[in-house]
Amino acid sequence: MAATPAGPEREATADRLLASSLRTSYDPTVEIDWAAPHVPGAYWLPPHRSSLYGTRLWDGMTEEQRVTLTRHEVASAASAGVWFETILMQMLIRHYYDADPTSRHAQYALTEVADECRHSVMFGRLIEAMGCPVYRAGRWDQALGRFLKTTATGPQMYAAILIAEEVLDAFQREIMADESLQPLIRMVSRIHVVEEARHVRFAREEVARQVAAAGPVAMAYARLLIGRAAYSISNRLVHPAAYAAVGIPPGVGRAAARANPHWRATLRWSAARVYDHLASLDLVAGPGRALWRRAGLI
Ligand SMILES: [Fe+2]
Ligand SMILES: [Fe+2]
C-alpha cells in the first residue's frame, strides 16, 4: 500500500467493495447447520474432479470408497484454504501497518481480513463436520509460507493471493451449482464464492498497480516467487495422506494423480483464469514459467 498511493480510482473500487460487504457477508457459525446429517452416497466433489478419476485405482474402488476419497480431498483443500488464508491475513495486516487508516482502500483491506477470519473458522468447522484430519502443509511449504507472509510486498504478494483464491474458486463455483453434491459443501462453497468475488476484484486491480510501479529487477524476482507460489498451491491441493483414507499408499496415490490426464486437465482448468490475468501483466515468464508448468497449471 505504501508503494502505490491512494488514487481516486483505487478509492472508488474500495468504496464499492465496502458497500458490497455490507450487503452480502455471512457468519458461517450461524448460517450453516453444522449438525445436519450428511446425505448417504452423495459426493463431496464432482467425481470427475477427483485426482484419481479415470485411473486404474479409481476403477478398482467401490462407490463408497470414491465418495470417501472426495470427502478427504475436500478436507485437504479446506486445510490448504486455512493455510493460505492465514498467510494472506498476515500479508494484508502487514500492509495495513503502513497505510492511511482513513482511506477506503485500507479499510477494505481490513474488511477482507475480517472475511478471511470467518472463512478459516468455516473451513475448520467443515473439516470437523466431515470427520477428517487436518491435512497440514509439508515442511518446505510451511517454510515458504512463513517467508512469504513475513516478506512479500509488491506484485508477488497480490499475485500469490490471486492464485490461491482463483484456483479454489473454480472448484467452488462448480460445487455450488451441482445439486447432486452434499448440501454442506455446496453451502460452504456458496458463502466463499460470494465473498471471494470481492477479494479477487481487489487483488486484480492491486496487482496491476503494483506491476506498473515495479522496476525490471523487482519484476524478475516477482515472476520467480509467483511461480514458486503457484507450484506450492497446486501441489498442496490434494495432500498425499488423503489417499490413505481409502487404503491407497500416499506415494502410490500421488504418483497416479500426477500421471492422470483428467487431473492434469482439472489443474489447468482451475488455473486458466488467473494464469491469463497474470500472463497479461507479464508476471509469468522465465524460470517462474517453468514452475507453473512443473505444477501442471499450464
Ligand atoms: Fe477465504
Ligand atoms: Fe479471500
Side-chain angles (χ1 to χ4, degrees), residues 85 88 112 116 119 165 192 196 199:
E85 286 178 344
L88 145 60
E112 181 166 326
E116 301 297 10
H119 294 170
E165 290 186 332
H192 205 244
E196 288 298 321
H199 304 178

Side-chain angles (χ1 to χ4, degrees), residues 48-67:
H48 70 280
R49 296 299 179 200
S50 168
S51 60
L52 295 184
Y53 178 81
T55 62
R56 295 230 304 270
L57 287 170
W58 182 264
D59 295 341
M61 284 156 71
T62 64
E63 183 67 9
E64 199 189 333
Q65 283 178 314
R66 292 172 182 172
V67 171

Side-chain angles (χ1 to χ4, degrees), residues 38-45 47 50 58 61-74 130 132 180-182 245-246:
H38 305 156
V39 175
Y43 279 91
W44 294 83
L45 196 67
S50 168
W58 182 264
M61 284 156 71
T62 64
E63 183 67 9
E64 199 189 333
Q65 283 178 314
R66 292 172 182 172
V67 171
T68 300
L69 177 60
T70 63
R71 184 159 55 85
H72 284 265
E73 286 177 323
V74 165
M130 291 191 300
C132 291
S180 73
L181 301 178
Q182 292 285 348
V246 290

